[in-house]
Amino acid sequence: MGSTLDQFGSQTTFADAGIGAARTVWLTNSMSIISLVILAFVMLVALFAWRSTGGGRVWWIIGGGIVFPLITLSVLTVASATTLRSITGEAQPEAPVIEITAYQYWWDVVHHSEGRSLRDANEIVLPLNMAVTLQLKSNDVIHSFWVPSVSGKMDMIPGRINELTITATKEGRFRGQCAEFCGLSHPLMAFEVLVLPVEEYAAYLESLDEDARDAVTPQQRRGKEVFLTSGCTACHAVNGVSENGRLGPDLSRVGARASLGAGMWRMNRGNLAGWIADVGDMKPGAQMPSYNDLSGPDLRAVAAWLESLK
Amino acid sequence: MSDRDRNSGLLGTVFAILSGVIVSLAVGVWALGTPGNDPVGAAAVTAGTFMEGKFRWLRAEPENVPQDWVEISKTVRGGDPQRGATLIAQYGCGSCHVVPGVARAHGTVGPDLSGFRDRAYIGGVLSNEPGDLVDWLMNPTTHAPDTAMPDLGVTETDARHMASYLYTLRGS
């Protein structure tokens, strides 16, 4: 399945693929229709008022200025409050928990399953038709988590855990975006959401628990060696190779993701090499330094090895 | 003129007309009998084209024969620049190179590809002509073992499209 970079309509509430999005669409549509009816009614009243002569001015002010807004605003408040509540979702103790931490400018994703913490990054896999509790956190500044096709958005505030229960109702790939200005590369802070049937979701979780694929070709082995000796491990973890780096995205399955740099470039060797050699150009303000001191063949080797981690 | 001569002349004319009618009938029936078949028309078109070529050749003078050798030397066979631009975006060339006309292609890892058509060399090792460019795009590491540019698994068709796009980038 290709990345959402080629796919139009992967980031719209109107192509609702989740309960939250469906309710948002419902509220928007009903508000539009009701206000249209009210407008038509007011126009009619105006038409008759034009023909009648004098009288009832006080009642117009009381009715149109106090009673009418009071009723409409109360109805709207109740409707939006209940819709908002249903978007946020009732807390479900049995629902799987996914912990998402925003960093400048990427997303750390930890699936909590059977007492294990399974780490991935920048791509959130959700089970189809199953409520999931997202624990939204931030590591530095305020970010906002938003997958328009699936649910409403929620801020990620440093020092707080905001819970959002979401249910995806359509299989496929959707696009999310940081929706709160968070710094220089805020527009380049996106992610992909992959909705899979429950069995495939379970298989995905298992794959997160396994060690990363072995380096097979001489080039891949060289790439792994360069990765270990160039300081990459200080920030990045690869299961079974080096598991201590926590400052940057987990790379155990980096080649399996559809995109690179938090949803911004297609995953392939060329983009990986360009990214390693000059991050500052591809994502201004990112914490990762540019590794342009690697020799050409070494750069290619690291890119080839990372691409093979699926 | 004797009667015999007049008779033979008349007979000859009648024979000529009759045979003409029979031949054209035969050709007509054959042509109509096969749907979509128009041998006479096709023959006429072939003859017309042939003659047109001859006339053109007769009329042509050295200065109005289009021979832009520079243009021809930068033409990639079977390359579609439009598709090339899409492929350049897909293979991610822009993460290392500036490629004018391709969205977000502003990389500073490798050389800027603006005005590529007027470059003398490709990667400093091959002369800049279509065959070499296509080959370079497919396997840069074969030509420059120490290059930082990875082999991206580009197919020959894709390489031709991308090369033809690169040759649309003219220098100032």
Side-chain angles (χ1 to χ4, degrees):
Chain A
M1 208 185 301
S3 87
T4 55
L5 287 163
D6 302 308
Q7 194 182 320
F8 286 100
S10 58
Q11 192 174 333
T12 167
T13 307
F14 290 100
D16 56 290
I19 289 180
R23 295 204 174 135
T24 313
V25 172
W26 181 85
L27 180 66
T28 311
N29 287 347
S30 42
M31 272 170 65
S32 308
I33 291 165
I34 291 169
S35 50
L36 193 73
V37 170
I38 292 173
L39 179 73
F41 175 72
V42 171
M43 299 287 272
L44 268 178
V45 169
L47 195 70
F48 286 112
W50 178 266
R51 288 180 167 187
S52 72
T53 46
R57 187 175 289 180
V58 179
W59 288 110
W60 273 112
I61 292 170
I62 293 171
I66 299 169
V67 179
F68 174 71
L70 205 67
I71 293 169
T72 26
L73 288 182
S74 316
V75 171
L76 264 181
T77 311
V78 173
S80 64
T82 42
T83 309
L84 201 64
R85 232 187 115 80
S86 64
I87 289 172
T88 327
E90 298 84 42
Q92 300 195 6
E94 275 91 58
V97 174
I98 305 177
E99 188 185 324
I100 300 167
T101 314
Y103 288 68
Q104 280 173 323
Y105 305 95
W106 61 280
W107 316 78
D108 184 44
V109 182
V110 179
H111 294 262
H112 291 287
S113 160
E114 299 164 6
R116 298 172 298 177
S117 298
L118 307 169
R119 195 172 291 265
D120 201 352
N122 293 334
E123 192 163 289
I124 300 166
V125 178
L126 297 174
L128 183 66
N129 291 326
M130 188 197 268
V132 174
T133 303
L134 303 181
Q135 292 184 342
L136 304 173
K137 307 200 286 189
S138 168
N139 182 58
D140 32 47
V141 298
I142 299 179
H143 300 270
S144 186
F145 177 90
W146 194 23
V147 194
S149 314
V150 178
S151 187
K153 70 179 139 185
M154 188 172 271
D155 279 5
M156 308 170 95
I157 301 164
R160 280 191 60 125
I161 300 176
N162 283 343
E163 286 206 345
L164 178 67
T165 302
I166 66 172
T167 310
T169 52
K170 243 185 233 167
E171 217 178 309
R173 222 171 238 289
F174 307 96
R175 198 168 168 77
Q177 170 72 38
C178 175
E180 180 76 41
F181 181 75
C182 61
L184 205 53
S185 279
H186 161 68
L188 304 181
M189 186 176 169
F191 59 96
E192 304 214 351
V193 170
L194 177 59
V195 181
L196 294 177
V198 178
E199 313 82 58
E200 286 178 41
Y201 172 72
Y204 162 78
L205 289 184
E206 290 314 312
S207 79
L208 288 185
D209 203 17
E210 290 160 10
D211 282 355
R213 270 194 199 177
D214 278 340
V216 182
T217 67
Q219 195 188 28
Q220 290 170 5
R221 280 201 291 273
R222 174 71 191 143
K224 184 173 164 184
E225 203 180 306
V226 173
F227 182 84
L228 289 170
T229 52
S230 302
C232 310
T233 51
C235 301
H236 294 288
V238 175
N239 286 352
V241 175
S242 161
E243 301 183 354
N244 298 321
R246 280 284 169 267
L247 293 173
D250 187 287
L251 300 180
S252 308
R253 291 177 73 258
V254 65
R257 288 176 208 148
S259 58
L260 173 72
M264 292 316 295
W265 289 272
R266 288 171 188 80
M267 179 57 69
N268 62 43
R269 222 176 301 170
N271 279 332
L272 275 166
W275 176 270
I276 297 162
D278 198 355
V279 180
D281 176 71
M282 288 173 83
K283 203 159 199 175
Q287 304 288 315
M288 176 170 160
S290 297
Y291 281 81
N292 54 3
D293 54 338
L294 294 177
S295 75
D298 281 355
L299 178 69
R300 283 190 272 117
V302 181
W305 179 59
L306 289 175
E307 195 195 28
S308 76
L309 300 179
K310 292 186 179 174
Chain B
M1 197 183 276
S2 67
D3 275 5
R4 201 162 152 264
D5 284 348
R6 200 179 295 143
N7 283 345
S8 66
L10 191 71
L11 263 177
T13 315
V14 170
F15 181 73
I17 292 172
L18 266 177
S19 56
V21 167
I22 288 166
V23 166
S24 47
L25 267 175
V27 169
V29 166
W30 177 48
L32 291 173
T34 339
N37 192 6
D38 183 12
V40 181
V45 169
T46 314
T49 322
F50 178 75
M51 287 318 284
E52 194 194 348
K54 290 293 160 219
F55 284 132
R56 212 173 258 221
W57 176 76
L58 275 175
R59 245 184 280 150
E61 283 172 35
E63 59 267 26
N64 58 19
V65 179
Q67 295 291 16
D68 187 347
W69 294 111
V70 178
E71 184 64 44
I72 290 166
S73 74
K74 298 286 181 191
T75 305
V76 186
R77 281 187 173 223
D80 174 5
Q82 193 94 36
R83 285 196 53 199
T86 317
L87 290 166
I88 285 172
Q90 278 172 8
Y91 279 107
C93 309
S95 60
C96 293
H97 298 284
V98 172
V99 191
V102 175
R104 298 203 300 144
H106 50 65
T108 47
V109 177
D112 184 338
L113 300 182
S114 321
F116 185 82
R117 187 193 175 85
D118 301 327
R119 292 287 167 79
Y121 289 97
I122 304 164
V125 292
L126 293 174
S127 58
N128 189 4
E129 55 102 353
D132 283 350
L133 178 56
V134 169
D135 207 30
W136 169 268
L137 292 174
M138 288 163 67
N139 1 258
T141 57
T142 317
H143 300 288
D146 282 344
T147 185
M149 178 164 165
D151 293 334
L152 299 176
V154 178
T155 62
E156 192 186 326
T157 327
D158 287 0
R160 283 181 184 278
H161 295 317
M162 292 196 276
S164 70
Y165 180 76
L166 292 177
Y167 282 137
T168 64
L169 306 173
R170 288 162 194 273
S172 52

